[in-house]
Amino acid sequence: VLLSTCGLLGEVRISLAPDYGSYSKALDAIRDQHPDAQILAGTAAFVMQRNRFMERLPEGVRATIRLLKWWRQRQQWTSEAARPTDELLELVAAHTAAESAPADLRSAIAETLSAIAKFDQLKVTWPLSARSYFEGDIPKHLLSQRPLVLSPTNPLVNMASAQLFQPHELVEHARSRPFFS
């Protein structure tokens, strides 16, 4: 559900999901849905797991994410498919920080933009300690896709698939000029 307001909130997205009773039951139900519906259904059904993941991120990673969202707002995008979602930026920033352990915010931004600049080679997966699902829950065909950005909460969707996101403009913006000038 998408609501538009005239006030400060602008557009507000509300996702509804049935009470599946457990994560595994929700995953089974979503796995049975059409692939196009799996991302929306997973977003609604796994919101508690996603919030828990985000809350566990160190403050430096959350600051990096906020700066990346600010940076995204300052860029020109030709379409919604070319504009990276909050979740895509969050996952790339969190994964980059986990892989490289940047010393400060400047290096965290630089390393994340460097990963984005090589978007076609990106492979974002999560260790069992950071994700809500087992390795066997990931469809085998997803693991061979590049770029690959898996959510730590929904193993059924590649957040970087060409059906969801067109990365060319993001890559160009990441390569075009220094973040801190």
Side-chain angles (χ1 to χ4, degrees):
V1 177
L2 179 64
L3 299 175
S4 280
T5 66
C6 294
L8 296 173
L9 295 178
E11 288 188 354
V12 178
R13 290 193 184 278
I14 300 174
S15 300
L16 304 173
D19 181 4
Y20 292 105
S22 71
Y23 176 84
S24 60
K25 289 179 183 175
L27 189 57
D28 289 341
I30 293 167
R31 186 179 287 116
D32 292 339
Q33 294 186 20
H34 188 276
D36 293 341
Q38 289 177 338
I39 188 168
L40 295 174
T43 297
F46 305 139
V47 71
M48 189 170 65
Q49 289 83 4
R50 183 178 186 282
N51 289 345
R52 191 175 315 125
F53 173 79
M54 294 301 292
E55 288 168 359
R56 290 179 180 168
L57 293 175
E59 181 52 40
V61 175
R62 286 187 278 189
T64 302
I65 290 168
R66 287 190 297 274
L67 280 173
L68 287 170
K69 290 177 184 178
W70 170 82
W71 171 81
R72 177 198 54 203
Q73 295 304 111
R74 297 177 49 88
Q75 310 305 316
Q76 296 293 320
W77 308 100
T78 59
S79 69
E80 276 301 305
R83 182 182 181 275
T85 63
D86 285 355
E87 187 169 11
L88 184 65
L89 292 176
E90 291 162 359
L91 295 175
V92 173
H95 188 265
T96 301
E99 293 288 307
S100 63
D104 55 30
L105 193 53
R106 180 181 293 272
S107 58
I109 292 289
E111 290 171 23
T112 303
L113 290 177
S114 176
I116 289 171
K118 298 178 279 200
F119 198 82
D120 62 326
Q121 302 166 28
L122 204 55
K123 181 179 179 185
V124 173
T125 59
W126 304 95
L128 183 58
S129 62
R131 66 177 188 245
S132 303
Y133 49 85
F134 297 108
E135 192 76 21
D137 293 327
I138 305 169
K140 299 298 177 224
H141 73 277
L142 284 185
L143 293 173
S144 62
Q145 293 179 7
R146 293 297 176 275
L148 174 64
V149 178
L150 286 178
S151 164
T153 61
N154 185 352
L156 304 175
V157 178
N158 177 3
M159 300 301 294
S161 78
Q163 290 83 14
L164 298 174
F165 179 61
Q166 302 301 311
H168 178 73
E169 291 177 39
L170 176 63
V171 170
E172 289 302 313
H173 289 311
R175 291 177 179 167
S176 67
R177 59 187 171 271
F179 187 91
F180 298 103
S181 44

